[in-house]
Amino acid sequence: VWNTLNATQQAILGLLSENPKLTGVELAEKVGISKRNIESNVKKLKEKGFLVRHGSPKSGYWEISGK
């Protein structure tokens, strides 16, 4: 089902699978796009059921769903 995602969304999931504690700023630096663009793509991933956030924005982590 990953083939329904764009390259940015696939990159986000790949990075979060390696380090689920990455922040939006860190993701933006690693992917090479703006933080706002990361936030938009993360929102879409959450809506599609690929990502779930656990904990607080500061100390939480991401879980990648098995979709």
Side-chain angles (χ1 to χ4, degrees):
V1 187
W2 283 46
N3 59 358
T4 62
L5 304 176
N6 65 34
T8 300
Q9 291 165 346
Q10 290 179 19
I12 290 170
L13 289 177
L15 288 164
L16 289 176
S17 69
E18 295 170 15
N19 182 358
K21 291 189 177 278
L22 286 174
T23 66
V25 173
E26 291 168 331
L27 283 170
E29 288 173 3
K30 290 179 185 288
V31 178
I33 59 175
S34 70
K35 182 174 180 283
R36 185 173 293 272
N37 196 325
I38 287 286
E39 290 167 354
S40 167
N41 279 288
V42 164
K43 182 174 183 237
K44 289 175 188 159
L45 287 168
K46 285 163 68 176
E47 288 169 356
K48 291 179 181 178
F50 285 100
L51 273 183
V52 180
R53 181 73 180 172
H54 295 283
S56 71
K58 284 249 186 244
S59 62
Y61 65 95
W62 291 102
E63 176 188 344
I64 297 173
S65 169
K67 272 225 166 176

